[in-house]
């Protein structure tokens, strides 16, 4: 883990490492995000890479930093080509009709330790406004993007951005009862 350039941030984040998913009740609401300019791209990279590791370990396709107890407007999401992408300060505009989506969340488990599932209304296509952290070359870059996405990746982006806004699928969807 990189040493944080802002000592006050380093002290408050130290307790979150090694990163793990925290329970929904442990996520402070409303979020007061740390200004991303107080973090270096190396620090953001270290956090994002750890989040991708958690996603892969849990067989997830997206994770928001707030799910790890970090007050950062950052999330990772696996795209349609199976690559994880890293986004900051994301927002979206829905395009077209909404559809039913069955979703689960790495922060929501039932009493049997299984992921809870919910039917949620989502847009099948969105226009994403965000900053994307590009780790493909050094030095790392944070690029402003405005791009259309469709299908499962659009659903994942909406889910993770909603996390950053304090909205959970359990707040907006209908739970599907799974009998173990």
């Amino acid at each position: 883990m990189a040493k944080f350039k802002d000592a006050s941030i380093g002290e408050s984040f130290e307790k979150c490492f090694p990163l793990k998913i925290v329970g929904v009740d442990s996520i402070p609401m409303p979020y007061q995000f740390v200004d991303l300019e107080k973090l270096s791209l190396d620090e953001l990279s270290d956090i994002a890479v750890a989040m991708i590791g958690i996603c892969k370990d849990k067989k997830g396709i997206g994770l928001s930093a707030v799910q790890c107890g970090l007050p950062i407007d950052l999330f990772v999401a696996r795209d349609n080509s199976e690559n994880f992408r890293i986004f900051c300060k994301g927002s979206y505009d829905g395009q077209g009709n909404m559809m039913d989506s069955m979703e689960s969340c790495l922060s929501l488990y039932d009493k049997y330790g299984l992921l809870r599932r919910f039917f949620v209304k989502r847009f099948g296509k969105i226009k994403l406004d965000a900053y994307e952290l590009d780790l493909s070359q050094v030095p790392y870059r944070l690029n402003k993007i405005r791009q259309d996405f469709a299908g499962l990746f659009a659903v994942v982006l909406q889910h993770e951005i909603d996390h950053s806004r304090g909205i959970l699928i359990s707040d907006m969807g209908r739970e599907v009862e799974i009998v173990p």
Side-chain angles (χ1 to χ4, degrees), residues 15-136:
K15 66 181 184 282
C16 298
F17 290 93
L19 279 187
K20 63 182 182 296
I21 297 172
V22 299
V24 173
D25 297 336
S26 300
I27 298 172
M29 303 280 259
Y31 308 132
Q32 294 190 339
F33 290 124
V34 168
D35 182 356
L36 288 179
E37 292 186 10
K38 291 187 176 185
L39 296 169
S40 72
L41 294 181
D42 284 338
E43 292 163 346
L44 285 175
S45 166
D46 286 349
I47 292 166
V49 167
M51 290 169 55
I52 290 168
I54 291 169
C55 264
K56 288 180 176 179
D57 182 55
K58 301 282 188 185
K59 297 182 177 29
I61 56 177
L63 186 64
S64 173
V66 296
Q67 290 176 268
C68 299
L70 294 172
I72 305 172
D73 194 355
L74 169 88
F75 66 93
V76 299
R78 194 176 71 201
D79 66 16
N80 296 330
S81 61
E82 303 293 313
N83 296 313
F84 277 92
R85 296 175 66 177
I86 306 161
F87 299 98
C88 304
K89 294 185 176 182
S91 65
Y92 63 88
D93 294 317
Q95 300 176 343
N97 296 325
M98 297 188 92
M99 61 181 199
D100 286 322
S101 172
M102 185 186 290
E103 301 178 25
S104 56
C105 178
L106 294 174
S107 293
L108 298 171
Y109 287 85
D110 68 14
K111 63 184 176 185
Y112 303 106
L114 302 173
L115 288 172
R116 294 167 62 193
R117 293 186 177 91
F118 295 82
F119 280 115
V120 180
K121 293 282 190 193
R122 295 282 188 199
F123 291 100
K125 184 176 179 184
I126 64 166
K127 182 169 291 292
L128 175 70
D129 279 304
Y131 289 90
E132 184 169 14
L133 183 57
D134 179 1
L135 303 182
S136 67

